Amino acid sequence: MTDPTPLRLPVKLHQRLLAHLRSTWPQEGCGLIACDANGAVEIFPGTNTEASETRYNMDLAEVVAAFNEIDRHDWRLGAIYHSHPQTPAWPSTTDLSFAFYPDTLMVIVSFAVDPPDLRAFRVDEGIIEVPVVVESE
């Protein structure tokens, strides 16, 4: 088996993603990451309509707006991200039951540790961790 291709995340996007998820604590936060051939190019912070510490559901209007922007730029949906306020950065049973985009990474940020632990996973046929490379601009 070959090593999975890393998720390349520019430091500015990494900082925005963490800031968004910190602002939703102690509830789970969520959003989308748009990618091109070189890695992440934009994040779309979402509103968790579940308002829960253990579940998330991104506001449908925000999802549609994000997909429109992704299409407009010829990007692709690279990842769906969310936080785990009190648990490790590993896909939960609930996370796996709602993994409807098999070609899209699942990015989880755990705030159970400091600094927060950001990890990415491919969950199409089992759980495969994908390296995340935070790149300076």
Side-chain angles (χ1 to χ4, degrees):
M1 183 172 117
T2 61
D3 289 335
T5 303
L7 171 62
R8 300 192 177 290
L9 187 62
V11 68
K12 286 183 182 179
L13 293 183
H14 179 257
Q15 291 169 345
R16 283 181 45 214
L17 187 149
L18 290 179
H20 167 239
L21 294 176
R22 274 190 188 98
S23 76
T24 67
W25 192 91
Q27 297 176 349
E28 286 196 8
C30 57
L32 306 175
I33 300 174
C35 292
D36 65 11
N38 298 314
V41 291
E42 186 59 89
I43 66 163
F44 298 91
T47 302
N48 180 1
T49 61
E50 296 286 330
S52 169
E53 295 177 14
T54 58
R55 294 179 60 104
Y56 73 94
N57 184 45
M58 188 168 162
D59 179 88
L60 183 57
E62 294 171 345
V63 172
V64 170
F67 273 101
N68 287 339
E69 190 72 6
I70 289 168
D71 287 344
R72 191 170 74 78
H73 290 282
D74 290 325
W75 296 333
R76 65 178 173 79
L77 178 60
I80 299 170
Y81 72 85
H82 73 281
S83 59
H84 283 183
Q86 303 294 331
T87 58
W90 188 262
S92 68
T93 303
T94 302
D95 294 337
L96 295 172
S97 69
F98 287 99
F100 299 126
Y101 295 88
D103 294 330
T104 301
L105 296 176
M106 178 183 295
V107 171
I108 302 173
V109 178
S110 171
F111 287 93
V113 294
D114 187 28
D117 183 21
L118 185 151
R119 298 169 77 184
F121 305 91
R122 185 159 306 288
V123 294
D124 52 349
E125 295 180 19
I127 301 171
I128 299 170
E129 186 162 5
V130 174
V132 177
V133 178
V134 178
E135 298 180 325
S136 59
E137 310 273 343

